[in-house]
Amino acid sequence: MVSLRNHESTGRGEDAPRTPAPSAADRWRALPALVRFPLAAAAAFVAVVALTFVTGPTADLRLGSVGYYMLAIAGLQLLIGYSGQVSLGHGAFMFIGAYTMALLVLNVPALPLWANMLVTVAVACVAGVLVGAATARLHGPYLAGATLALAVGLPSLTVRFPELLGGSNGLAFSTRGAPAALAGVVTTSQWQAAAVWLTTLVGLVLLATISAGRLGRRMRALRDDESAAALAGIPVGRTKVAAFVISAACGGLAGAGQAYLLGTATPSSFTVTLSLSLLAALVLGGLGSMWGAFLGAVALVYVEVWVEDLAHVLTLGTNVSNNLPIVFFGVLLILVILIRPDGLHGMFRSLADLVRRGRRPAEPAPARSRTPSTARE
Amino acid sequence: MDHFIDLTLSGLSSGAVYAALALSLVIIYQATRVVNFAQPALALISVYIAYAVSQATGSYWLGFGAALASGLVLGAATERLLIRPVHGRSPLSAIIVTLGLLLVLQGLAGMIWSNEPHSFAYPLGFRGRFSASDWFALGSVGAAALLLFALYRFTPLGLRMRAAAFHPEAARLSGVRVGLMLTTGWAIASVIGALAGMLAAPPFIFPNVMDAVFIYAIAAAVVGGLENPFGALAGGMLLGLCLSYVSGYAGPELTTLAALAILVLVLSIRPDGLFSRPTARKV
């Protein structure tokens, strides 16, 4: 019996028989979710902190960016990949989060960072309930259009209320940085990156627990067939709004992380391009899996860095080099959809299968089954 | 009162632009069930080509013709090269491909013509209460709509296009080249999109010039019902008027949020838009 394992990208549950003896990975997977996710998060946190000790301030900042983007993308993953609602306006929730953070630091300086984060989550949740309830009846292109309008419209509020929101220059503030007890041990940038990652990982653990549980199952049922889900007794509207609120909270927290890291909140960082980049990163990483969010976030931060370096090496003109990342991302997006709809995560997974079994994963293409993996593309 | 009339008139001329872009979205949606998020970028490239041609020849109207011609080519090429391969996959695939194309084309425009704004001419005079350019906007969009109506209603090509859009299998059996008809639909839509771009761009052209217009156009298309070309026209004019009043009485920063509010309001009453017949969802 060949062990068939379709690389399903949708997380629809693996019921294919698996014959080999339980490996370490399988035993890991057998742990209950409530143990597994926090353990993985703790390991990731230790890894990130360790990484900041060998890198400089710039790299710390980038590492932190990967963290908050990952949270935003993972929230979007829950919304699009799990519940099937396409939002093109998730930058709007990052905007809300960033400005909440900035306003809190400027107006209530006594509050500690974790309290700021909690308030941000609350504000983003309220915004998510409002938007989610207003758009719960929309589907497909209608929802996409409405959320796109949100992403374009919301940042213009800063111009409307310049005294409060700082107009088009935005709000700049400075945070306290590392607590006195750690003053000699870690630098400010290390502390910042670690704080952002801690927030992200707590958020991810919650997200993973939710999506593995009943609510997550309901969302996937909704995505696969709304009418059937409704017939099965799933409250369609409430589940949709719940998905929207959770992902809005992630977006808000990500925005707060960005503001904390950069010390500013400006309307120009929350353009449509940001919202589209989040979606692009999600698709690039792989729809339907939380690993996709990580890969997408890494791509979002480092592709830009690498393309800038490349432009520098090739001494391209400013017009070209300024626009190279966006063109690169667009091309990547189209290619991924045309060639590998399951994204980087799917690609890595089939590579992993290949290594583990020493053969190609079974696919409905027996004629090519002995060609090496490089022939994929 | 004077202020009100001014706002109404400017709302009509901007509404014509939204209506044109909304119309191009609806034509494509009708034919291929894809909302073309790359439409503003296709229009943008057409307008930049018009800019280049006008700069080279000194004639606005040669540029205008070049914009429409390039719209035709761009629309057809997009359908052939990018949309057809993802046909029949999940709706998300098509959305993402068009978004990818949007990023690519906006970036390319910035690479070639830089992100800085260039001044871009109005078709006719633009001074006065309801200027010659405003008349031109209303007139050209009206003419485009009439031509389109005549094409769909009275020509064999239009009949085939409708057949290909609504009953592809039956149309294929009766000898209609469905693929060609879909490509034609995209091409026609992009010509109308290029027209909208020419009307929307002045006085300045830069890579993000179409973003806001596109939001209003998509709102107009959705308000009117993505299925219905007349809905798109009516939705565009309605939105143009509403946004003009919001801009005049409440402040121009609020227009996008007002568009969102109108969108949500209309859709919460009629989830498929104002002018489309509600359909039963299949179980």
Side-chain angles (χ1 to χ4, degrees):
Chain A
M1 166 80 208
V2 209
S3 78
L4 277 171
R5 184 155 174 240
N6 301 327
H7 35 242
E8 36 82 38
S9 61
T10 48
R12 256 169 243 198
E14 301 170 36
D15 44 11
R18 225 182 291 141
T19 40
S23 63
D26 288 336
R27 254 175 284 152
W28 168 250
R29 253 180 243 131
L31 285 174
L34 282 176
V35 178
R36 190 155 45 106
F37 297 145
L39 275 181
F45 185 68
V46 170
V48 166
V49 171
L51 204 57
T52 59
F53 275 100
V54 293
T55 52
T58 321
D60 291 344
L61 210 64
R62 281 179 194 155
L63 203 61
S65 309
V66 173
Y68 70 74
Y69 275 129
M70 184 175 169
L71 185 58
I73 296 167
L76 206 55
Q77 178 74 274
L78 184 91
L79 188 69
I80 301 182
Y82 287 39
S83 89
Q85 305 181 79
V86 180
S87 165
L88 302 183
H90 242 55
F93 295 109
M94 284 185 71
F95 167 85
I96 290 172
Y99 271 82
T100 310
M101 183 74 172
L103 288 174
L104 284 173
V105 173
L106 288 173
N107 298 324
V108 203
L111 274 187
L113 179 61
W114 59 268
N116 286 352
M117 294 288 187
L118 284 183
V119 175
T120 307
V121 169
V123 172
C125 279
V126 171
V129 169
L130 290 178
V131 179
T135 56
R137 293 177 70 187
L138 311 185
H139 46 91
Y142 294 94
L143 181 62
T147 46
L148 193 64
L150 182 71
V152 178
L154 211 54
S156 56
L157 280 183
T158 54
V159 188
R160 177 71 182 173
F161 303 105
E163 294 85 13
L164 182 65
L165 301 177
S168 54
N169 291 328
L171 301 168
F173 58 91
S174 56
T175 48
R176 268 166 301 193
L182 292 172
V185 189
V186 295
T187 61
T188 310
S189 66
Q190 271 181 301
W191 167 257
Q192 283 176 318
V196 168
W197 267 90
L198 190 62
T199 319
T200 298
L201 289 168
V202 170
L204 286 178
V205 167
L206 290 176
L207 265 183
T209 312
I210 289 169
S211 54
R214 189 174 67 158
L215 191 55
R217 266 200 316 278
R218 286 182 162 183
M219 287 176 193
R220 287 191 288 273
L222 213 71
R223 173 198 63 191
D224 292 340
D225 192 332
E226 198 174 309
S227 312
L231 282 175
I234 292 175
V236 172
R238 241 187 299 156
T239 310
K240 277 186 166 180
V241 175
F244 214 96
V245 170
I246 295 167
S247 81
C250 291
L253 210 48
Q258 187 199 45
Y260 175 69
L261 214 54
L262 304 179
T264 55
T266 52
S268 59
S269 9
F270 302 98
T271 54
V272 193
T273 313
L274 170 72
S275 296
L276 297 189
S277 305
L278 292 178
L279 181 68
L282 172 62
V283 173
L284 197 65
L287 265 176
S289 107
M290 285 295 165
W291 276 108
F294 173 67
L295 296 170
V298 171
L300 198 56
V301 173
Y302 285 96
V303 161
E304 190 156 345
V305 174
W306 292 329
V307 169
E308 268 164 21
D309 289 348
L310 181 75
H312 190 72
V313 169
L314 299 178
T315 58
L316 299 170
T318 45
N319 286 342
V320 175
S321 58
N322 281 345
N323 288 293
L324 203 54
I326 180 177
V327 172
F328 193 81
F329 246 106
V331 171
L332 223 51
L333 205 53
I334 295 172
L335 287 182
V336 166
I337 288 293
L338 291 185
I339 300 168
R340 269 318 291 223
D342 51 356
L344 286 177
H345 175 64
M347 207 136 75
F348 283 147
R349 189 152 57 173
S350 26
L351 272 179
D353 278 355
L354 200 72
V355 173
R356 203 176 312 139
R357 284 156 225 272
R359 56 185 285 282
R360 276 185 64 120
E363 260 185 311
R368 295 188 303 145
S369 64
R370 251 179 289 157
T371 50
S373 69
T374 43
R376 287 219 83 119
E377 307 300 320
Chain B
M1 197 61 208
D2 251 15
H3 191 43
F4 180 77
I5 295 170
D6 280 349
L7 291 177
T8 308
L9 292 176
S10 76
L12 285 177
S13 72
S14 53
V17 179
Y18 310 153
L21 203 55
L23 192 59
S24 73
L25 291 173
V26 167
I27 296 169
I28 285 176
Y29 189 77
Q30 263 191 328
T32 43
R33 300 278 130 182
V34 171
V35 176
N36 183 14
F37 286 98
Q39 196 71 72
L42 296 174
L44 179 79
I45 297 293
S46 295
V47 175
Y48 266 117
I49 288 174
Y51 170 78
V53 170
S54 303
Q55 290 285 312
T57 61
S59 155
Y60 176 86
W61 297 106
L62 275 179
F64 193 85
L68 299 191
S70 62
L72 190 85
V73 175
L74 283 170
T78 305
E79 200 277 334
R80 268 289 143 118
L81 302 177
L82 296 179
I83 302 302
R84 194 162 301 177
V86 298
H87 188 75
R89 293 224 222 128
S90 81
L92 190 59
S93 298
I95 289 182
I96 289 168
V97 165
T98 57
L99 288 174
L101 184 62
L102 173 75
L103 295 178
V104 171
L105 291 180
Q106 274 194 349
L108 281 181
M111 281 185 181
I112 300 171
W113 289 285
S114 102
N115 291 350
E116 301 303 315
H118 300 290
S119 66
F120 191 80
Y122 285 92
L124 301 163
F126 59 93
R127 280 171 228 283
R129 178 173 246 196
F130 202 70
S131 65
S133 283
D134 291 331
W135 279 114
F136 179 74
L138 268 183
S140 57
V141 173
L146 277 179
L147 277 176
L148 197 70
F149 174 71
L151 172 81
Y152 273 112
R153 196 76 185 75
F154 299 117
T155 66
L157 177 67
L159 181 65
R160 283 195 208 108
M161 286 175 66
R162 278 188 290 154
F166 291 114
H167 296 287
E169 286 313 313
R172 195 168 282 124
L173 286 174
S174 11
V176 174
R177 293 179 60 191
V178 172
L180 185 67
M181 291 303 117
L182 299 186
T183 311
T184 313
W186 273 72
I188 292 174
S190 296
V191 172
I192 298 175
L195 171 69
M198 291 301 288
L199 299 174
F204 292 110
I205 176 171
F206 47 95
N208 291 96
V209 71
M210 299 296 290
D211 283 3
V213 182
F214 179 62
I215 299 296
Y216 304 143
I218 200 167
V222 167
V223 161
L226 277 172
E227 313 271 338
N228 188 330
F230 294 102
L233 292 173
M237 299 313 284
L238 180 77
L239 212 70
L241 287 174
C242 288
L243 296 185
S244 181
Y245 298 139
V246 169
S247 165
Y249 290 118
E253 319 83 56
L254 295 180
T255 43
T256 332
L257 285 178
L260 178 67
I262 295 169
L263 195 71
V264 169
L265 192 72
V266 168
L267 290 182
S268 57
I269 302 165
R270 289 186 63 101
D272 289 303
L274 285 178
F275 299 95
S276 70
R277 254 172 272 127
T279 50
R281 202 101 49 84
K282 84 168 163 49
V283 177

